[in-house]
Amino acid sequence: NEKSMSFMEELLKEIESNNVPAPAPIEQRWTSGSKSPLSPASVITGKDYCESSYEANNALFSWVGVIMYLPSEDLDPTGYRRDFITESFKDQYCKLVR
């Protein structure tokens, strides 16, 4: 999907230009649409839903995530490093993907 690849390219540019540390893997996953109304990839749109519609049968959703590795508690007994990394991640990376 061209839009999801463009998003990834833009995200990587923003990470680099903002000097956001991204030592963890950045992954992108895709899934087809779901008929479950509770799914984040739901293709049900109320009474307009048609099981055989082109949009429902060909819907494609993308998720982007970062796997953030933290130091073990053995190497960070005070928890300071873990807290610092977590807060930095929430502050810097999460702002980029909103």
Side-chain angles (χ1 to χ4, degrees):
N1 185 314
E2 187 176 323
K3 286 183 182 181
S4 63
M5 294 306 293
S6 295
F7 174 80
M8 285 300 294
E9 289 172 352
E10 188 63 33
L11 175 61
L12 291 173
K13 285 179 191 173
E14 290 295 319
I15 287 172
E16 291 173 358
S17 68
N18 288 294
N19 294 318
V20 175
I26 298 173
E27 68 175 352
Q28 185 173 22
R29 294 183 179 205
W30 293 269
T31 186
S32 59
S34 171
K35 294 176 185 165
S36 171
L38 297 177
S39 171
S42 179
V43 292
I44 297 175
T45 59
K47 63 184 178 183
D48 297 331
Y49 174 74
C50 176
E51 191 169 313
S52 62
S53 74
Y54 177 83
E55 290 82 10
N57 290 330
N58 294 288
L60 182 65
F61 294 82
S62 175
W63 284 267
V64 175
V66 171
I67 301 169
M68 181 176 60
Y69 295 108
L70 296 171
S72 72
E73 292 176 358
D74 296 349
L75 300 174
D76 185 27
T78 64
Y80 173 78
R81 290 175 59 207
R82 293 171 65 88
D83 290 344
F84 178 78
I85 293 169
T86 299
E87 290 307 312
S88 295
F89 178 83
K90 287 178 184 177
D91 181 49
Q92 295 176 315
Y93 178 77
C94 291
K95 285 178 183 177
L96 292 177
V97 295
R98 286 197 174 127

